[in-house]
Amino acid sequence: VVIEQGSALGEPSQVFMRGGKSGSVLVLIDGIEVNDAMNSDRSFDFAHLTADNVERVEVIRGAMSALYGSNATGGVINIITKKGKGDLKFRGSFEGGSFYTFREVIGASGGGEKSYFSIGASRSDSKGISKATRKPGDSEGDADGYANTSVSTRAGTKTPWDGELDFTLRFTDARYEIDKEAFTDDPNYKGESRNIAGGLSFSQKLTGWWNQTLMLSYSNTYRTYLNDYDSLDLAGPYIYSDAWYKSDTGKAEWRHELNLGKLDTLTLGADYRGETGSSYNVSDMGFGKSVDKIGKKSASDKGVFAYNRLRLWERVFINAAARYDEYSTFGSVATYGLSSSVILPIIETRLKSNYGTGYRAPSIDQRYNPLSGNKDLNAEKVKSWDAGIEQEFFDGALTVGGTYFENQYRDMFDSSTFIWENLGRVDTHGIEAEMTLKPAKALTLSAGYTYLRTKDLEAVEEEKKELLHRPHHQADISATLEPSDKLMFKASLKYVGSRKSYWYDYGVWDQVYVEGKEYVRGDFSMWYKIFDEIKITFRIENFTNAKYHTVAGYDNPGIAFYAGMKGEL
């Protein structure tokens, strides 16, 4: 998993999984699809997602369209919020630190056998840093501020006849300042991103072996960007721009789970997804204002799927899935997947393998953009497989594992001709290794390493054959120490190897390709309970003070310190 963000505090943040593109990752919040239908690749921007009210994050790597449909060609990330349990509790926290950063969080939760709820709200403000890299001789740029307001809630209740109703709602409003281009400061370029995602699901047991679930969900994303006239805009193509993008995604899913004895579970389902999008962009390149817009456009998908899980002797696990989708815009597509896992007797070694196919539907922007759109686009397709091994030693105190993977992307969306077409062909492969060690009850050590290679089979120029921002080598190591229930320390180091990047030089109107330097970043955090209900917190981000550029021409913050307090009543 590679995270690519031009700079901190509001810059678009993309996730690449096993070398795929950001649009190849499907992102869910409690099962609600939150990918932005008006991003050109229908990707989700992680820049404004907070961990408030989040219980855990599940990550599945590889082509998963047989289970999840479009966009799940590289993997799936499912963010699961807290349900709430036990007596009614109120919580709150405050933190402040570097770059005039302040963050406040409040929340409440509770639950019993029949109902539960959890709600949280947060506010973050930071003066930030100047994101554009300074060229030699340039004056110091202005700091680019950031503000984020987020609210998250989840509630549920039991209903008559063994039913359960679950409701999720999440809202985010982020406002941020932007530097226009690589190496180019901009004192008055601002953006705003608002997202609201909600879902309602109803599950009910029809018999002892038959359970059904009906889920309705909706997600709306609205983005605005305003770059007013100023003297520094003469360095770039646009001296003025004002744009907004709006997308809506609604989905209905009806799923039936059939427990066929103790060995087999069969899931059958059908779903319908509809999305709409529109945009409006006014720009001035020095020759007067021009307008590009996409009126309200829509697309829909009807799908059916089946998923079977077979368990034999609690040592052999075989999963198979198949799906058929009918799109309103380009026709039909069928996908399938097969995975297996075997635990060998005596030595308890786990062998695992996966094979799957996937697809990604063209976005509304790719079809209807007035400058680059193509209504005849078909789906992008992928085949992926992996094989791995896991082994425990010393009664589980040490766990090691490794996986080899390959992906073949075909008919990829490509705009090298200035019009989106199904021209791209990309192969990726690599190795993932991980280790977890508990030498003592209070100490946990973990480490991971990824080797990744990517190849654009259509690229002619050597510098374009390797996909951007994907390092060949990436490694991390962390240690967590809890000497008592009142004290915790955690430290981590992350190594990111060199990788291709580029910036656009408007002096020569061409891309300039560069090699991003390797770096090692360290992070440290701790908390101490001064009372049973109150703890103080402290953390250091980038304690190695690494000077690194995830994207050419944009800086990331150096060493930063934060301290705060958390309480629960």
Side-chain angles (χ1 to χ4, degrees), residues 203-219:
S203 300
Q204 187 170 41
K205 280 189 176 183
L206 300 178
T207 67
W209 51 273
W210 181 3
N211 187 68
Q212 68 166 348
T213 301
L214 175 64
M215 181 173 181
L216 306 174
S217 64
Y218 170 78
S219 176

Side-chain angles (χ1 to χ4, degrees), residues 312-317 341-346 348:
L312 301 175
W313 311 292
E314 295 301 322
R315 288 189 174 274
V316 178
F317 307 88
S341 176
V342 178
I343 302 174
L344 301 179
I346 302 175
E348 301 299 317

Side-chain angles (χ1 to χ4, degrees), residues 328-383:
S328 63
T329 52
F330 64 84
S332 61
V333 58
T335 51
Y336 61 92
L338 180 66
S339 65
S340 63
S341 176
V342 178
I343 302 174
L344 301 179
I346 302 175
I347 58 176
E348 301 299 317
T349 302
R350 179 186 291 271
L351 306 176
K352 54 185 181 179
S353 63
N354 300 278
Y355 179 85
T357 63
Y359 76 96
R360 183 156 66 100
S363 69
I364 290 175
D365 182 79
Q366 288 172 324
R367 287 178 54 83
Y368 299 109
N369 188 294
L371 300 178
S372 58
N374 181 358
K375 296 180 182 179
D376 296 324
L377 282 174
N378 289 314
E380 181 179 291
K381 299 178 178 66
V382 66
K383 295 178 181 179

Side-chain angles (χ1 to χ4, degrees), residues 375-396:
K375 296 180 182 179
D376 296 324
L377 282 174
N378 289 314
E380 181 179 291
K381 299 178 178 66
V382 66
K383 295 178 181 179
S384 76
W385 71 271
D386 63 62
I389 184 172
E390 289 182 10
Q391 180 68 62
E392 289 187 352
F393 299 94
F394 312 118
D395 295 325

Side-chain angles (χ1 to χ4, degrees), residues 131-437:
K131 298 173 182 176
T133 303
R134 304 268 73 75
K135 289 182 177 179
D138 285 354
S139 60
E140 186 69 23
D142 71 307
D144 299 307
Y146 181 76
N148 182 309
T149 301
S150 295
V151 179
S152 174
T153 184
R154 185 175 182 183
T157 185
K158 298 286 187 181
T159 62
W161 302 293
D162 292 324
E164 183 175 336
L165 197 64
D166 186 89
F167 170 75
T168 295
L169 182 66
R170 191 176 186 92
F171 170 79
T172 300
D173 181 18
R175 304 185 183 199
Y176 43 96
E177 296 177 341
I178 307 169
D179 278 342
K180 183 172 66 171
E181 302 289 344
F183 304 104
T184 306
D185 192 44
D186 198 316
N188 59 8
Y189 195 177
K190 298 180 179 180
E192 181 177 3
S193 179
R194 294 201 303 266
N195 174 263
I196 184 168
L200 180 67
S201 68
F202 174 68
S203 300
Q204 187 170 41
K205 280 189 176 183
L206 300 178
T207 67
W209 51 273
W210 181 3
N211 187 68
Q212 68 166 348
T213 301
L214 175 64
M215 181 173 181
L216 306 174
S217 64
Y218 170 78
S219 176
N220 168 274
T221 300
Y222 181 67
R223 297 178 282 120
T224 64
Y225 305 92
L226 174 61
N227 183 20
D228 214 340
Y229 294 101
D230 64 69
S231 59
L232 294 177
D233 280 326
L234 298 177
Y238 297 105
I239 62 175
Y240 173 86
S241 63
D242 185 4
W244 58 260
Y245 303 85
K246 180 182 179 181
S247 68
D248 299 270
T249 300
K251 186 176 180 180
E253 180 182 289
W254 194 16
R255 186 171 64 247
H256 297 261
E257 188 173 275
L258 311 175
N259 293 302
L260 308 178
K262 295 182 179 181
L263 302 180
D264 194 76
T265 301
L266 175 64
T267 301
L268 302 173
D271 54 39
Y272 174 86
R273 179 169 60 83
E275 61 185 22
T276 62
S278 55
S279 66
Y280 189 86
N281 188 345
V282 182
S283 60
D284 184 355
M285 298 181 68
F287 311 104
K289 292 183 179 180
S290 62
V291 177
D292 298 317
K293 64 179 181 179
I294 300 177
K296 192 173 183 179
K297 302 294 182 180
S298 61
S300 62
D301 163 40
K302 294 175 288 187
V304 293
F305 58 91
Y307 176 47
N308 192 78
R309 290 170 289 168
L310 179 64
R311 304 173 297 279
L312 301 175
W313 311 292
E314 295 301 322
R315 288 189 174 274
V316 178
F317 307 88
I318 301 174
N319 302 329
R323 182 181 177 92
Y324 176 82
D325 288 278
E326 188 76 38
Y327 268 81
S328 63
T329 52
F330 64 84
S332 61
V333 58
T335 51
Y336 61 92
L338 180 66
S339 65
S340 63
S341 176
V342 178
I343 302 174
L344 301 179
I346 302 175
I347 58 176
E348 301 299 317
T349 302
R350 179 186 291 271
L351 306 176
K352 54 185 181 179
S353 63
N354 300 278
Y355 179 85
T357 63
Y359 76 96
R360 183 156 66 100
S363 69
I364 290 175
D365 182 79
Q366 288 172 324
R367 287 178 54 83
Y368 299 109
N369 188 294
L371 300 178
S372 58
N374 181 358
K375 296 180 182 179
D376 296 324
L377 282 174
N378 289 314
E380 181 179 291
K381 299 178 178 66
V382 66
K383 295 178 181 179
S384 76
W385 71 271
D386 63 62
I389 184 172
E390 289 182 10
Q391 180 68 62
E392 289 187 352
F393 299 94
F394 312 118
D395 295 325
L398 173 64
T399 302
V400 296
T403 303
Y404 175 83
F405 63 86
E406 286 189 6
N407 299 293
Q408 295 180 344
Y409 292 90
R410 299 296 181 263
D411 298 327
M412 292 188 79
F413 305 130
D414 186 286
S415 60
S416 59
T417 61
F418 303 104
I419 301 295
W420 286 106
E421 297 184 80
N422 293 102
L423 297 176
R425 296 187 303 137
V426 168
D427 286 350
T428 75
H429 69 273
I431 297 172
E432 299 163 338
E434 55 190 350
M435 180 197 74
T436 301
L437 174 64

Side-chain angles (χ1 to χ4, degrees), residues 98-99 539-543 557-562:
S98 299
F99 318 116
R539 60 191 175 96
I540 308 174
E541 291 189 351
N542 191 11
F543 66 72
I559 188 170
F561 302 87
Y562 303 91

